[in-house]
Amino acid sequence: MEISPSVESGFLDVNGTRFYYEVTGKGEPLLLIHGFNLDTRLWDDQVEDFSQTYKVIRFDIRGFGRTPATEIPFTLYDDTQAVLQALGVEQAHVVGLSFGGMVAVEFALAYPEMVKSLSLVSSGLMGHPRSEQRIRDTERFQEICEKGTREEAVEMTIQMWFDGPGYPANEAAGKARERYRVMTEHAFSLPEFGKGLSVLSPSPNERLEEIHAPTLVIAGDRDYPDFLQIADVLAERIPGAQKIVIEGSAHIPPMDQPEVFNRVLLQFLEQHT
């Protein structure tokens, strides 16, 4: 019987806030960066598999999960560097989902020596235009936020991002869907994100060719068209990047297709470990 690796967890007092973090396993460091309105629980289906080979690090971005928001100036790439430095990590394999993918790109440009490999999952890209479908759904979501209930807003968030636009409820991934709901409900109770935030300049979308870490781009075929387009842009412009589209997955492949996602990512990491 395999014994699960022990988990180190706690808070790191760096950069003017207290970052909640978890570290599991031993080996080369593997940093997992969650998406917007999510937290470390996003990666619950990855930790056991990955920690057999890697030192898996996950933390709550400032203002999400258990990491308090602040009103002081900050950048997400400096926050990421401060967390790794506080944990004694000089270089890591970096994985980011959606908004976390944008953070990972910023980090790879700001601290290239700290990134051994880069995996961008359903990643956003600053400045990329939104699809008409996403614009319509966002307008409907805003109407619900203004006139409807929080429960209705949470349910639409799940439909947009977990099930995929235009797709029925993903009952096959029911437990993960419920975990996504819990994270979303928690996020909706938090202060509005973004006070004090500055982004990398010049903008990452002007500098993708400067990324030289081995890069994997992952997308779900049920995601919004603009995110599939972004995956193409990242794969075309980041030198040597590989791209994989996971069938039957929407915006959150680590949750709705964890077995496939884990296999794809582990195969990539093994090539660069």
Side-chain angles (χ1 to χ4, degrees), residues 167-189:
Y167 288 91
N170 187 347
E171 301 299 350
K175 287 184 179 178
R177 192 178 192 269
E178 187 57 30
R179 192 165 87 246
Y180 184 86
R181 179 190 300 278
V182 170
M183 283 189 283
T184 302
E185 288 174 342
H186 176 67
F188 280 18
S189 73

Side-chain angles (χ1 to χ4, degrees), residues 153-208:
V154 168
E155 185 58 35
M156 180 151 188
T157 301
I158 297 168
Q159 291 170 3
M160 290 171 67
W161 302 113
F162 191 88
D163 301 327
Y167 288 91
N170 187 347
E171 301 299 350
K175 287 184 179 178
R177 192 178 192 269
E178 187 57 30
R179 192 165 87 246
Y180 184 86
R181 179 190 300 278
V182 170
M183 283 189 283
T184 302
E185 288 174 342
H186 176 67
F188 280 18
S189 73
L190 297 172
E192 185 176 349
F193 174 80
K195 277 192 175 181
L197 174 65
S198 295
V199 298
L200 188 67
S201 182
S203 176
N205 65 350
E206 301 172 13
R207 302 172 57 189
L208 295 176

Side-chain angles (χ1 to χ4, degrees), residues 89-243:
V89 174
E90 295 181 357
Q91 188 180 60
H93 301 278
V94 179
V95 182
L97 179 133
S98 189
F99 180 72
M102 297 171 68
V103 178
V105 167
E106 282 195 325
F107 181 65
L109 289 166
Y111 297 98
E113 71 285 353
M114 296 187 73
V115 180
K116 184 160 189 182
S117 73
L118 182 65
S119 298
L120 305 173
V121 188
S122 306
S123 182
L125 180 63
M126 194 171 295
H128 188 89
R130 296 185 177 191
S131 63
E132 290 183 10
Q133 187 177 21
R134 188 173 165 210
I135 291 170
R136 286 196 305 270
D137 284 355
T138 301
E139 288 174 349
R140 186 170 152 234
F141 173 74
Q142 289 170 343
E143 286 178 12
I144 290 173
C145 289
E146 291 169 8
K147 301 176 183 178
T149 65
R150 178 177 289 184
E151 289 74 19
E152 289 172 326
V154 168
E155 185 58 35
M156 180 151 188
T157 301
I158 297 168
Q159 291 170 3
M160 290 171 67
W161 302 113
F162 191 88
D163 301 327
Y167 288 91
N170 187 347
E171 301 299 350
K175 287 184 179 178
R177 192 178 192 269
E178 187 57 30
R179 192 165 87 246
Y180 184 86
R181 179 190 300 278
V182 170
M183 283 189 283
T184 302
E185 288 174 342
H186 176 67
F188 280 18
S189 73
L190 297 172
E192 185 176 349
F193 174 80
K195 277 192 175 181
L197 174 65
S198 295
V199 298
L200 188 67
S201 182
S203 176
N205 65 350
E206 301 172 13
R207 302 172 57 189
L208 295 176
E209 290 79 7
E210 295 177 26
I211 296 174
H212 295 295
T215 300
L216 174 65
V217 177
I218 299 177
D221 70 346
R222 294 186 178 186
D223 203 351
Y224 283 98
D226 40 317
F227 283 98
L228 291 164
Q229 294 164 5
I230 289 169
D232 289 338
V233 171
L234 295 171
E236 289 166 7
R237 290 185 52 201
I238 297 175
Q242 306 173 40
K243 187 188 82 169

